[in-house]
Amino acid sequence: MPTLILVRHGRSTANTAGVLAGRTPGVTLDERGAEQAAALPGRLAALPLAAAVSSPLQRCRETLRPLLEARPDLRLHTEERISECDYGDWSGRKLAELADEPLMTVVQQHPSAAAFPGGESMRAMQARAVDAVRDWNARIEEEHGESACYVMCSHGDIIKALVADALGMHLDLFQRIHADPCSVTAIRYTRLRPFLLRLGDTGDLAPLAPREPGPDADAATGADGGGDANAAVGGGAGAP
């Protein structure tokens, strides 16, 4: 199955202001976020991307804009199910102010029980995002083959929830995961299990490019050597 390249949007004006943006309209990339987005085409240059999928929110579309300009043949798809969590009445409020809310303790320590007033639960957020990725994996594989890569630009909590699902972690543990603005998290899906290849990576991504199985490839290393779903014994050396 395909390799999913998850990109968190670049740093936004809400990030800088310490505000929980949620789905508040008009939240854009700040100057640093624009610089991060401008560097994205170079970071992804080695990857033969089959498609680009974006949250409908402006900060995600702005993050992918330089990549789409650099690759005019790359088609952009909008996916509502990877939009930011609906924080309801919390949207637009200062994070420092929300820290005193009793619900914040639940969000941090027992997120599977957290539901935002006037918004959605964190369980529902994860479920829709996982469904979206599974649907896109099937579509990309059908249209471009099982070794295809595609990029998906979304939000911090969405990416953390997807990583938790890929690792078989309960949602209550997902707050242990972190992804910086414009970082790349890569998950390679196989018939039996996903492999987390990168988490919050801000460096060289060339080793993520698909490789043709060769005479030295170990068929038992599904993450690195073209096999199906067996983990590399000893951790695997990865690309040279």
Side-chain angles (χ1 to χ4, degrees), residues 122-133:
M122 301 197 88
R123 296 187 314 279
M125 174 199 74
Q126 182 185 45
R128 63 173 166 83
V130 170
D131 283 348
V133 165

Side-chain angles (χ1 to χ4, degrees), residues 3-6 184-188 195-200 208:
T3 298
L4 170 62
I5 309 298
L6 280 164
V184 167
T185 294
I187 303 171
R188 181 168 296 152
F195 290 87
L196 180 65
L197 306 182
R198 292 288 190 281
L199 176 61
L208 293 176

Side-chain angles (χ1 to χ4, degrees), residues 84-85 87 122 125 155-162 174-175:
E84 180 63 285
C85 184
Y87 297 115
M122 301 197 88
M125 174 199 74
H155 308 268
D157 278 351
I158 296 290
I159 292 171
K160 289 161 56 179
L162 290 170
F174 101 128
Q175 297 292 22

Side-chain angles (χ1 to χ4, degrees), residues 149-184:
C149 296
Y150 70 107
V151 65
M152 179 176 281
C153 188
S154 189
H155 308 268
D157 278 351
I158 296 290
I159 292 171
K160 289 161 56 179
L162 290 170
V163 170
D165 172 75
L167 292 177
M169 292 170 55
H170 196 281
L171 183 62
D172 284 343
L173 301 178
F174 101 128
Q175 297 292 22
R176 302 182 184 193
I177 300 166
H178 179 75
D180 284 318
C182 221
S183 64
V184 167

Side-chain angles (χ1 to χ4, degrees), residues 201-218:
D201 196 313
T202 56
D204 179 23
L205 300 170
L208 293 176
R211 291 182 290 149
E212 293 295 327
D216 297 327
D218 182 353

Side-chain angles (χ1 to χ4, degrees), residues 17-102:
V19 169
L20 185 66
R23 300 180 180 182
T24 305
V27 177
T28 66
L29 299 184
D30 67 6
E31 184 176 351
R32 173 59 180 154
E35 292 173 355
Q36 291 170 332
L40 193 58
R43 295 179 60 214
L44 298 178
L47 304 186
L49 300 173
V53 184
S54 178
S55 157
L57 296 180
Q58 183 175 350
R59 53 195 183 273
C60 288
R61 291 185 283 108
E62 288 182 351
T63 298
L64 287 183
R65 186 175 299 152
L67 177 65
L68 296 171
E69 291 174 351
R71 301 196 191 193
D73 294 333
L74 186 62
R75 183 180 175 188
L76 177 66
H77 307 267
T78 300
E79 174 57 74
E80 296 282 346
R81 292 175 294 176
I82 61 166
S83 188
E84 180 63 285
C85 184
D86 184 355
Y87 297 115
D89 298 344
W90 280 26
S91 301
R93 293 178 60 186
K94 289 278 190 178
L95 288 165
E97 170 189 323
L98 291 170
D100 295 329
E101 293 279 354

